Amino acid sequence: MKHLQSALLASAMLLAFGSTAIGATLSKAEYTSDKEAISRQYSADKTTCDSKADNARDICIEEAKGRGNIAKAELEARYEPSVKHQYEVRLAKADAAYAVAKEKCDDLAGNAKDVCRKEAKAAHVTAKADAKVAEKTSDANATAREKTSEANMSAQDKTSSARKDAASDKRDAAYAVAKEKCDALSGDPKAACIKEAKSHYGQ
């Protein structure tokens, strides 16, 4: 049983990490080209499986399907990056590993087969739950970043407004002082003093 569990884990790791890693976003032409390449690879893999017999063939086909589905999900995530597409990549990996694990259990019989299937199911449920947690976490983080950004913008606006008001108040106060000093004068000198004060403090 330990040998089988190791084999199941190895299959899961192969399906999870054996496909192309998600990198930079793609152009429409690259997306179409890669999609066609994935389809060709799946057909080639299925042809290879035809040389196998019985359950080995079934396992081979599930592995080919899994790689193809993961590659498609990763392609979509590269073409249109989103939390949803990242979730679908994780889900594709979980489903692929489960499908292969179930087929490998068919090499067993009786209670050993039942236990194997239960373990495969438990691993599948865990992987799907982890994928959902990752999706919710990403959504929450994105929302938090958005709210933080909005809060920062609001704070900046309020700060800017406060600074403008403060500057205006300071100018008004300084003008009031200058104007008061002009009152010590009379006639044309006073008028010139007030005019200069208004010009200097933007009144």
Side-chain angles (χ1 to χ4, degrees):
M1 180 61 71
K2 288 183 179 179
H3 177 71
L4 175 62
Q5 290 175 340
S6 296
L8 293 178
L9 179 60
S11 294
M13 294 292 285
L14 174 65
L15 288 167
F17 303 107
S19 51
T20 303
I22 297 175
T25 55
L26 302 173
S27 66
K28 178 64 174 179
E30 290 172 325
Y31 169 77
T32 301
S33 176
D34 285 1
K35 192 172 185 179
E36 292 172 352
I38 290 170
S39 180
R40 288 194 300 271
Q41 184 61 53
Y42 173 58
S43 296
D45 288 345
K46 278 185 63 180
T47 299
T48 300
C49 293
D50 290 339
S51 63
K52 301 180 184 296
D54 302 323
N55 198 46
R57 179 178 181 277
D58 295 338
I59 293 171
C60 181
I61 290 175
E62 289 301 336
E63 288 176 338
K65 285 181 181 178
R67 285 192 297 270
N69 288 336
I70 292 171
K72 288 177 182 178
E74 289 183 339
L75 178 61
E76 294 299 329
R78 290 172 63 200
Y79 185 53
E80 295 180 342
S82 68
V83 171
K84 178 177 180 291
H85 281 146
Q86 288 295 334
Y87 168 71
E88 288 174 351
V89 169
R90 295 186 183 96
L91 199 60
K93 290 177 178 179
D95 290 345
Y98 179 49
V100 172
K102 282 196 303 179
E103 285 300 334
K104 290 193 173 185
C105 291
D106 287 345
D107 285 331
L108 304 174
N111 181 250
K113 180 176 181 177
D114 294 338
V115 171
C116 180
R117 282 183 170 266
K118 290 292 184 182
E119 288 176 340
K121 180 64 175 178
H124 187 224
V125 170
T126 298
K128 289 203 300 181
D130 288 343
K132 180 57 70 174
V133 169
E135 180 191 30
K136 294 298 183 182
T137 300
S138 295
D139 274 337
N141 288 339
T143 299
R145 284 194 297 271
E146 183 177 328
K147 287 185 178 296
T148 299
S149 177
E150 290 176 353
N152 287 337
M153 288 291 289
S154 177
Q156 290 174 4
D157 287 344
K158 288 180 179 178
T159 299
S160 177
S161 178
R163 286 175 176 168
K164 288 179 180 178
D165 289 343
S168 178
D169 290 344
K170 289 178 181 179
R171 282 196 305 272
D172 289 345
Y175 170 66
V177 171
K179 183 181 178 184
E180 189 65 32
K181 288 180 177 180
C182 292
D183 285 345
L185 305 174
S186 62
D188 292 340
K190 180 178 180 179
C193 179
I194 291 175
K195 181 179 180 181
E196 182 180 353
K198 285 183 177 181
S199 176
H200 183 74
Y201 293 107
Q203 300 298 319

